[in-house]
Amino acid sequence: MDSPHGAAVKAEDFGLKGPRGWAFRGVGIDAAPGSLIAVEGPSGSGRTCLLLALTGRMKPTAGRAEVGGHRLPKHMAAVRRIAALGPVSGVNDLDQALTVAEQLREGALLHRRYDGPVRALLRPRAERRAAAAARVDTALAAAGLDLATLPKGERTSVRDLERLESVRLSVAIALLGSPRLIALDDMDLKLSDAEREEAWVLLRSLAASGITVLAVCSEAPDDATVLRTVAEAPDGTADDSAGRTAGAAADEDAHADGTADKTERKSAKKSADDTAEDTADEDVTEDVTEDVAEEVTEDDDTKGADDALAEAGRA
């Protein structure tokens, strides 16, 4: 049974196959709400596709799965509403041209536009601004990002952030939508040993708060529920030389230098972007507490699923 905050994740013989072979297959998991789930495996083994499929951004082609009580692939739109993406390279990258304040405000606008109740717009302007500021502060605190410690505070350029600071900022933006599951790709990429431990401390704190965490990594911690993926050998069998168990398989022409991961991200980018189309046209250079757009339109839940099916064929 799901908790009010986290989302249970279940899968059986879960897989996704494209024209050039399996992105992943044979995945099985039964994780309770508030679990810390690590997707461990070599680059090019289908990790990103698996993450996007479990968050409703790519349509699987084999097996079955359930996230927060919503079945996949039947209820992909419902899964997208409760599952937020943290950093996923090539899908929801931070805008290097913005300041941290601008990036936060843009994220807040998106969540208000697609996730916030219409009745919230009926509240007084000052009340709405105060609520938005409080929501941003809460998300930053949960992500462990203190703007005062940045070189120029909230006016620090996103391009000047350290890798761990970028991860924290992405997590904070994801938390603005009050998700029941948050997913991060390449969580430990380009982090020192000390920074990697800090990142896992952050993810453990999110899981402890009740949010289910799904993180792609090169090496999972001992206390995580682990999904292992392996690259597929040229003959189509699992390559056991990497010392992994077969939880998924990659494209047959994937290279160990990360080519497959880049292909996965390119193939998934359009479907992930469809969940946040028609971004508000307001000037993002204002302070993060400035008011949001007055007009809210409904998100087309079916379009993202249709596009995900089309794009998943290129995985």
Side-chain angles (χ1 to χ4, degrees):
M1 179 179 296
D2 277 345
S3 73
H5 304 291
V9 179
K10 301 178 182 180
E12 183 178 348
D13 200 25
F14 198 51
L16 188 155
K17 186 176 183 180
R20 293 182 294 169
W22 289 93
F24 63 86
R25 60 176 166 177
V27 173
I29 187 174
D30 188 354
S35 295
L36 175 60
I37 306 169
V39 181
E40 182 188 72
S43 180
S45 61
R47 301 176 305 174
T48 302
C49 279
L50 177 56
L51 177 146
L52 293 172
L54 286 175
T55 55
R57 271 75 178 182
M58 294 188 76
K59 190 169 185 177
T61 56
R64 56 188 176 184
E66 187 176 288
V67 178
H70 304 295
R71 292 170 54 193
L72 291 170
K74 186 175 182 179
H75 299 138
M76 291 176 62
V79 172
R80 288 198 300 273
R81 284 194 290 268
I82 65 170
L85 294 182
V88 180
S89 180
V91 175
N92 67 336
D93 301 284
L94 297 174
D95 191 333
Q96 302 299 302
L98 300 181
T99 66
V100 171
E102 292 166 351
Q103 188 76 76
L104 283 166
R105 184 168 184 271
E106 183 180 77
L109 285 170
L110 286 172
H111 286 298
R112 270 290 292 276
R113 186 173 181 86
Y114 294 105
D115 299 327
V118 176
R119 64 177 178 274
L121 294 176
L122 302 178
R123 293 183 298 175
R125 181 186 179 95
E127 183 179 336
R128 281 182 279 141
R129 293 176 63 183
R135 197 171 192 177
V136 168
D137 289 342
T138 299
L140 287 172
L145 182 60
D146 184 357
L147 300 186
T149 65
L150 300 179
K152 297 181 180 179
E154 65 178 22
R155 296 185 181 277
T156 301
S157 174
V158 170
R159 69 168 62 91
D160 294 331
L161 295 177
E162 299 293 336
R163 163 66 179 167
L164 183 55
E165 292 170 340
S166 294
V167 171
R168 293 186 185 278
L169 178 58
S170 293
V171 168
I173 292 171
L175 292 175
L176 292 174
S178 301
R180 296 171 59 189
L181 181 149
I182 183 170
L184 306 85
D185 193 23
D186 286 331
M187 190 281 299
D188 51 5
L189 181 68
K190 297 181 181 179
L191 295 181
S192 66
D193 291 343
E195 291 172 332
R196 186 178 296 111
E197 182 54 38
E198 283 188 57
W200 283 116
V201 169
L202 166 61
L203 300 191
R204 290 188 187 99
S205 70
L206 295 178
S209 73
I211 300 172
T212 302
V213 178
L214 179 66
V216 169
C217 62
S218 58
E219 185 176 354
D222 294 336
D223 58 344
T225 299
V226 181
L227 285 175
R228 289 186 174 88
T229 62
V230 296
E232 194 167 277
D235 60 0
T237 60
D239 183 1
D240 294 329
S241 62
R244 309 286 183 179
T245 60
D251 245 329
E252 59 186 4
D253 58 347
H255 300 287
D257 62 358
T259 301
D261 275 354
K262 294 177 182 177
T263 302
E264 293 162 13
R265 291 167 186 145
K266 288 180 180 178
S267 69
K269 179 171 175 56
K270 187 175 184 296
S271 59
D273 287 345
D274 282 332
T275 65
E277 65 177 325
D278 297 330
T279 305
D281 294 329
E282 298 168 284
D283 181 7
V284 295
T285 59
E286 300 176 20
D287 187 78
V288 294
T289 59
E290 285 296 312
D291 201 26
V292 299
E294 293 296 326
E295 295 185 7
V296 178
T297 57
E298 290 296 325
D299 184 20
D300 184 358
D301 288 331
T302 60
K303 184 175 181 181
D306 292 341
D307 285 345
L309 173 60
E311 295 300 329
R314 304 191 192 116

